[in-house]
Amino acid sequence: MSALRGGRLIEVAFWLVPLAAFLLLPGYLMLGSQILIVALFALSLDLILGYAGIVSLGHAAFFGLGAYAAGLLAAKGWGEPLSGLLAGGVIAALAGFVASFLVVRGEDLARLMVTLGIGLLLYEAANRAAFLTGGVDGLSGVAMGKIFGVFAFDIGGKTAYLYSFAVLLLVFIFLKRLTSSPFGLSLRGIRENPARMPAIGSPVRARLVTAYTIGAAIAGIAGALLAQTTQFVGLDSLGFNRSAELLIMLVLGGTGRLYGAIVGAAVFMIAQDYLSGVNPVYWQFWLGLLLVVFVFFARGGILGAVEAAAKRLGRSSQERAR
Amino acid sequence: MLGVLFDGIAYGSLLFLVSLGLSVTMGLMNFVNLAHGAFAMAGGYVCVIAMTRFGVPFLATLPIAFVVTAIVGAVLERLLYRRLYGASHLDQVLFSIGLTFMSIAAATYFFGSSQQPMRLPEFLRGQVHLGGVDFGIYRLFLVAVVAALTAVLGFLLARTRFGAQVRASVDNAQAARGLGIDVDRVFSVAFALGSGLAGLGGALGIEVLGLDSSFPLKFMVYFLLVVAVGGAGTVKGPLVAALLLGVLDVAGKYYVPQVGAFVIYAAMVILLIAFPAGLFGRRR
């Protein structure tokens, strides 16, 4: 019981960190909202990769769809943020639902190729449909209205930060409940043993389709959030690099843990901001090296390492008590 | 029309040369190697350096590019790839993305991110006029080289002892091991050979595909696609897939430029859905 309360306390403390950052680091609010948005995006991949075990190389497709949906709505005169956010989520969910039938049926390799293909297909489509999306120049002229008709987006990024924080927290709570529900448990079961789950009566296909659709919807919301807070949508929001970096963040933090996605996104974004300021080429090199090292030595990610350390600590203190 | 077809075939034969090694890696060890394009890029840079800094004639740089990348491949296989054969596909993907990023960063650091200049020798430049159609001499040369190599490789795979071992290992690695075939060694050799061919393809391809530091990512999909469509363990599968892809891509860009690479990606998704094991895949 006390362990449970301890866990709660840590969770509350965790969520106080972004709020403290809001008060203490007013100069970094732009970076801060980027981190919150990317964390949301990483959560969406965590659901389909970490929990459902679907490997994806094209998750940015849904992020970009959401971004373009929200951006286009605002650029065409519908600047109300919350409905724009919803529109981004719904469109990405629809695309995710259709795509899920192609993704779910294959094995790892086919899934990799199909997700990669879908991502590239959308990228190319956005690139070619320049009349709509602005092509390589990106979509500008995104004019946002006030949230609830009250809070306008300001130059300092305060509204954007708190808006992103609220959305992240709400989605996180939703995912937390989802992953600890019977649905979440069956997803983990499918990841661990896809052959056995049908035998105990779990509709594997339907579960994976649902998970993939929800993951796509959340990615779309994250994209819409980025479009609204930066008031710009670039072609890179659909690119392969974004999908690959997302995968890296998730692995960095630890897959199959919701907090892993957030920690990984934060560490990645801060390191990128610092190191790519020094030299972007070096950054890419160290990123690659980091990946290789992680694959060989630290598959659980940061949180996995913390967990292992905590376990070891707990064991030794138990032994001492004995 | 004929010209487009011919350009497509030249382009496709290049893709085939580079992808063949990948087909062995993915088919034989079930290893998803996204870094295969990096070997082709390495071969390209070896060719450029040998020509510009050491004044080696173009034709002589080709075997150098083959040997150097084959050695690099063998070393990497021994040190890194080998440890991940049993790992999950996610691990393999992450590892090979990491390797790709490192190769791109290293290439940018040493050579900059601009296109590498390439000056073909006099006798490979220009056109021949045949039956009302102009053929680029270099592309003819390319097709001839790849055709010759294909014949050699086909012989190697179909008629030699090593080829039989490769085929046996692709079909059933466990049974092959049980029969006393040293699958690990077969794979090491095949990996080095595949890397070398990729390097050779990269060197030959500078004129057609271009060469800059983003090469491994730019063409990654094409190589993966050749393997996914062609299936693994044969020479015929990737060859047909690569030629098909080359012709489709060139024709798509020529006739419907506004759609661009869309044709290829759509074809890829459709083919993957229709033929999960590839057009000529050996189903297990």
Side-chain angles (χ1 to χ4, degrees):
Chain A
M1 195 62 206
S2 75
L4 194 74
R5 206 173 298 148
R8 269 283 151 78
L9 217 63
I10 292 178
E11 281 195 78
V12 171
F14 182 91
W15 287 99
L16 285 178
V17 172
L19 285 181
F22 176 73
L23 296 173
L24 300 177
L25 302 167
Y28 288 93
L29 287 184
M30 282 308 241
L31 176 65
S33 7
Q34 298 270 323
I35 293 175
L36 294 171
I37 292 166
V38 169
L40 183 62
F41 186 29
L43 277 178
S44 75
L45 183 66
D46 200 16
L47 178 69
I48 68 162
L49 173 68
Y51 285 88
I54 301 174
V55 190
S56 170
L57 270 181
H59 205 53
F62 306 114
F63 184 83
L65 263 183
Y68 274 110
L72 278 172
L73 264 184
K76 303 282 179 213
W78 182 264
E80 206 284 310
L82 293 183
S83 52
L85 202 63
L86 195 69
V90 168
I91 288 193
L94 281 177
F97 180 70
V98 174
S100 69
F101 291 98
L102 311 180
V103 174
V104 160
R105 49 181 274 159
E107 303 243 314
D108 272 359
L109 186 57
R111 283 174 178 172
L112 279 174
M113 297 292 296
V114 170
T115 50
L116 186 68
I118 293 171
L120 290 168
L121 210 58
L122 276 178
Y123 179 89
E124 201 54 33
N127 186 15
R128 295 290 155 179
F131 63 94
L132 192 67
T133 61
V136 263
D137 298 332
L139 178 72
S140 48
V142 179
M144 295 313 301
K146 298 171 180 172
I147 302 169
F148 299 128
V150 181
F151 305 106
F153 286 97
D154 54 320
I155 294 285
K158 281 185 183 160
T159 315
Y161 187 89
L162 291 177
Y163 179 43
S164 309
F165 177 73
V167 175
L168 175 65
L169 185 59
L170 285 176
V171 171
F172 180 84
I173 292 169
F174 166 72
L175 279 177
K176 178 109 182 158
R177 296 198 66 120
L178 186 77
T179 49
S180 52
S181 70
F183 172 77
L185 285 177
S186 70
L187 282 188
R188 260 177 273 182
I190 292 166
R191 181 193 65 194
E192 293 302 323
N193 195 336
R196 190 183 278 176
M197 284 308 277
I200 62 169
S202 183
V204 170
R205 225 181 123 93
R207 289 278 191 271
L208 290 181
V209 166
T210 313
Y212 198 80
T213 307
I214 295 175
I218 295 172
I221 292 174
L225 211 51
L226 185 71
Q228 295 182 342
T229 53
T230 58
Q231 317 211 335
F232 175 79
V233 186
L235 209 51
D236 67 309
S237 65
L238 280 165
F240 171 77
N241 270 10
R242 192 173 282 268
S243 297
E245 283 176 3
L246 183 73
L247 211 54
I248 295 167
M249 289 174 211
L250 192 56
V251 171
L252 188 68
T255 53
R257 303 172 173 84
L258 294 180
Y259 282 108
I262 299 177
V263 170
V267 171
F268 181 93
M269 294 294 287
I270 292 169
Q272 184 183 40
D273 186 62
Y274 179 73
L275 288 174
S276 69
V278 180
N279 185 332
V281 174
Y282 285 146
W283 160 243
Q284 200 178 28
F285 183 83
W286 293 121
L287 186 62
L289 189 65
L290 187 80
L291 260 183
V292 172
V293 169
F294 256 71
V295 168
F296 281 117
F297 299 109
R299 274 303 281 112
I302 295 173
L303 286 199
V306 170
E307 223 164 67
K311 220 176 248 170
R312 199 172 301 158
L313 225 93
R315 204 185 300 135
S316 63
S317 69
Q318 262 175 11
E319 276 161 14
R320 236 176 288 134
R322 228 180 283 145
Chain B
M1 175 66 203
L2 212 60
V4 171
L5 190 69
F6 176 69
D7 273 2
I9 289 173
Y11 181 47
S13 51
L14 254 184
L15 287 179
F16 163 70
L17 197 56
V18 177
S19 311
L20 194 63
L22 186 63
S23 123
V24 174
T25 328
M26 296 211 335
L28 188 52
M29 294 315 264
N30 198 13
F31 191 106
V32 183
N33 182 15
L34 301 185
H36 193 70
F39 292 108
M41 179 176 74
Y45 279 116
V46 167
C47 169
V48 168
I49 294 169
M51 276 175 75
T52 54
R53 298 220 183 130
F54 300 101
V56 181
F58 174 69
L59 287 185
T61 64
L62 297 178
I64 301 177
F66 175 83
V67 171
V68 171
T69 40
I71 292 171
V72 171
V75 169
L76 281 178
E77 199 269 341
R78 226 354 114 73
L79 291 180
L80 298 173
Y81 279 90
R82 171 158 295 188
R83 295 161 193 252
L84 289 175
Y85 287 159
S88 71
H89 282 132
L90 178 62
D91 281 353
Q92 297 168 352
V93 164
L94 291 168
F95 163 75
S96 53
I97 289 182
L99 217 55
T100 309
F101 278 3
M102 282 162 75
S103 73
I104 292 175
T108 313
Y109 178 77
F110 287 114
F111 308 105
S113 56
S114 57
Q115 281 285 339
Q116 291 298 313
M118 171 76 184
R119 217 179 144 67
L120 286 172
E122 201 61 59
F123 60 92
L124 286 175
R125 276 186 272 167
Q127 314 250 313
V128 237
H129 199 71
L130 266 180
V133 186
D134 287 327
F135 293 100
I137 291 181
Y138 185 70
R139 285 180 163 75
L140 281 172
F141 167 74
L142 205 61
V143 172
V145 169
V146 174
L149 276 173
T150 310
V152 172
L153 286 168
F155 177 80
L156 187 77
L157 265 181
R159 296 267 181 270
T160 63
R161 190 178 172 78
F162 174 71
Q165 289 178 337
V166 171
R167 279 180 291 132
S169 309
V170 169
D171 275 350
N172 190 333
Q174 212 171 0
R177 235 181 225 117
L179 287 170
I181 295 175
D182 189 346
V183 175
D184 290 346
R185 201 186 63 85
V186 168
F187 188 59
S188 292
V189 176
F191 193 94
L193 193 65
S195 307
L197 287 175
L200 180 61
L204 280 169
I206 301 174
E207 179 71 14
V208 180
L209 306 175
L211 178 69
D212 61 36
S213 57
S214 68
F215 185 92
L217 274 185
K218 206 162 32 177
F219 291 100
M220 179 182 76
V221 185
Y222 288 86
F223 305 146
L224 284 172
L225 191 52
V226 170
V227 177
V229 172
T234 62
V235 174
K236 192 177 89 185
L239 179 63
V240 174
L243 291 180
L244 201 68
L245 189 65
V247 171
L248 257 181
D249 197 38
V250 171
K253 279 178 182 156
Y254 185 80
Y255 290 112
V256 273
Q258 61 277 23
V259 187
F262 205 82
V263 181
I264 285 304
Y265 300 145
M268 157 176 176
V269 172
I270 293 168
L271 279 170
L272 278 170
I273 291 160
F275 304 96
L279 287 177
F280 301 94
R282 294 154 162 245
R283 279 156 222 276
R284 300 180 184 192

